[in-house]
Amino acid sequence: MLGRLALTMTLAATLAACGDSNGGARTQITAVGSSTVYPFTTRVAEAFRNQDSNRDAPVIESTGTGGGMARFCDGVGSEYPDIVDASRRIKKSEYQKCEANGALPILEIQIGMDGVALAESLQGPSFELTKKDIYLALAAHPMGKDTNSAQTWRDVNPALPAIPIQVYGPPSTSGTRDAFAELIMEPGCTEAFPQVEERSSDDKKMVCMQLRSDGPYIDAGENDNLIVQKLTANPNAVGIFGYSYLEENHDRLRGIPIEGVSPTYETIAGGSYPGARPLFIYVKAKHLNAVPGLKEFLRLYSTMWGPDGDLVKRGLIAAPQDVRDHAVEIIQQQIPLDATTLD
């Protein structure tokens, strides 16, 4: 008991020493990271504040998973975020940065499921694509070539329309882009170019996962709502974002089937949609006792991610029961992430 009290006092002193501009310890919860997870953490923050109007409102920023991880792992103290929203698992290199800066241990909490959705306007050409089609259209080095000469969708598949390839997607700092490369581009690459398996891992990554930068793929930034607007204005374009944005804009957009499977709640929850992926939040264990309300915030999160919870009504796909139960156990027992499970 004395050891735990001493640890709590030390951590509180650490946060106070890094205090806010008024010289005091930070009293509001802070989170950065994924634009996909941002709406869900923001909704929990609203509910958290509504429970007690005397609480400081949590500060939630949409920075992209990569940018959020960089800030999260910079250190411990009030100038560093308590939580990072992530639309992919933390990378081993990011974990090692957290370790080097004293930010461990951290909790890995899966909040639900999502799908990397490809979408088009309701006035669009009604695309149906394969992973191979998408790879050949967007790879910077398709089949190991120096450049990608495809300019229309018909250039990659004669069955597709002869309209220009225009795909609005997330930037390199985005977990959604990482997931898109891993779940869609890499399998499409190995199907189109089986010999890539004989190459080095770095060469395979360049051939399979590097997106072209000559115009057909358009970096639309971390604002997924901007992609929705661009699809509405340009019916021939395709957008890439998390499923929740497709669900939110079903009156304007349709999901594009991949391998004959459309992005829906059922196909993502069941794992049949090729772009299905887990969503996470990561939390600094050293902040749990030092930041007022952080433990309560996590407990509230866990009450909102079930099949009948408010987050599902806003586009989150509930994880299977065993995954939710394990996430609750992690929160209750403060179980740290085991780095041996990271790639």
Side-chain angles (χ1 to χ4, degrees):
M1 179 65 73
L2 288 176
R4 179 175 293 185
L5 178 60
L7 177 61
T8 300
M9 292 177 65
T10 299
L11 295 175
T14 298
L15 290 178
C18 301
D20 60 23
S21 59
N22 296 319
R26 173 161 56 77
T27 57
Q28 77 269 58
I29 296 162
T30 59
V32 295
S34 165
S35 62
T36 300
V37 181
Y38 171 82
F40 308 130
T41 302
T42 297
R43 178 65 192 112
V44 177
E46 292 169 354
F48 179 78
R49 181 70 165 79
N50 289 339
Q51 284 183 340
D52 184 350
S53 60
N54 292 319
R55 289 170 169 166
D56 288 340
V59 177
I60 317 298
E61 297 180 61
S62 175
T63 63
T65 299
M69 286 290 183
R71 287 174 58 183
F72 179 77
C73 289
D74 273 342
V76 177
S78 65
E79 70 261 52
Y80 305 110
D82 309 311
I83 298 170
V84 60
D85 298 331
S87 54
R88 57 161 172 78
R89 287 198 83 193
I90 189 172
K91 298 177 181 178
K92 184 176 289 186
S93 60
E94 292 165 337
Y95 183 91
Q96 290 169 341
K97 179 182 178 182
C98 275
E99 183 176 33
N101 291 328
L104 299 183
I106 57 176
L107 312 185
E108 178 184 70
I109 302 165
Q110 184 176 337
I111 66 162
M113 299 287 297
D114 183 41
V116 180
L118 271 66
E120 64 181 341
S121 165
L122 292 179
Q123 284 71 49
S126 297
F127 279 112
E128 292 192 20
L129 301 173
T130 67
K131 287 177 282 190
K132 181 179 176 180
D133 294 335
I134 296 165
Y135 165 72
L136 292 175
L138 297 182
H141 305 286
M143 316 286 281
K145 299 175 184 176
D146 289 338
T147 59
N148 191 334
S149 61
Q151 295 301 314
T152 73
W153 287 101
R154 185 164 293 173
D155 292 336
V156 303
N157 183 340
L160 295 174
I163 58 177
I165 300 168
Q166 290 181 289
V167 179
Y168 294 99
S172 59
T173 55
S174 169
T176 297
R177 178 157 161 171
D178 291 338
F180 172 72
E182 178 182 343
L183 298 172
I184 306 297
M185 292 289 288
E186 186 173 11
C189 172
T190 56
E191 180 183 345
F193 188 43
Q195 302 94 311
V196 76
E197 298 288 6
E198 301 171 6
R199 301 199 174 194
S200 69
S201 58
D202 286 345
D203 197 22
K204 181 181 178 182
K205 185 175 182 180
M206 179 188 71
V207 171
C208 291
M209 302 172 77
Q210 185 174 334
L211 297 179
R212 61 196 299 186
S213 58
D214 59 336
Y217 182 86
I218 304 156
D219 180 338
E222 292 290 356
N223 186 350
D224 292 337
N225 284 313
L226 181 60
I227 299 179
V228 173
Q229 294 170 19
K230 289 183 179 297
L231 296 184
T232 303
N234 182 0
N236 285 333
V238 172
I240 302 171
F241 39 58
Y243 168 77
S244 63
Y245 288 88
L246 175 60
E247 173 68 16
E248 188 178 304
N249 294 278
H250 65 275
D251 58 332
R252 293 189 283 174
L253 305 178
R254 71 164 63 89
I256 295 173
I258 301 176
E259 310 293 349
V261 182
S262 296
T264 66
Y265 187 101
E266 291 74 21
T267 61
I268 296 169
S272 62
Y273 178 66
R277 59 171 174 172
L279 299 178
F280 302 93
I281 58 174
Y282 292 86
V283 185
K284 288 191 182 86
K286 291 179 179 178
H287 285 202
L288 288 171
N289 291 321
V291 177
L294 183 54
K295 291 180 183 178
E296 291 77 8
F297 183 85
L298 298 181
R299 284 195 288 267
L300 178 60
Y301 218 131
S302 72
T303 68
M304 297 175 66
W305 65 37
D308 298 321
D310 190 55
L311 299 185
V312 169
K313 297 173 185 175
R314 293 169 183 259
L316 182 71
I317 294 168
Q321 184 68 55
D322 61 330
V323 173
R324 300 200 308 273
D325 290 345
H326 182 55
V328 170
E329 182 183 18
I330 291 171
I331 293 171
Q332 291 176 343
Q333 300 184 22
Q334 299 181 27
I335 301 171
L337 170 63
D338 178 1
T340 63
T341 65
L342 298 176
D343 296 328

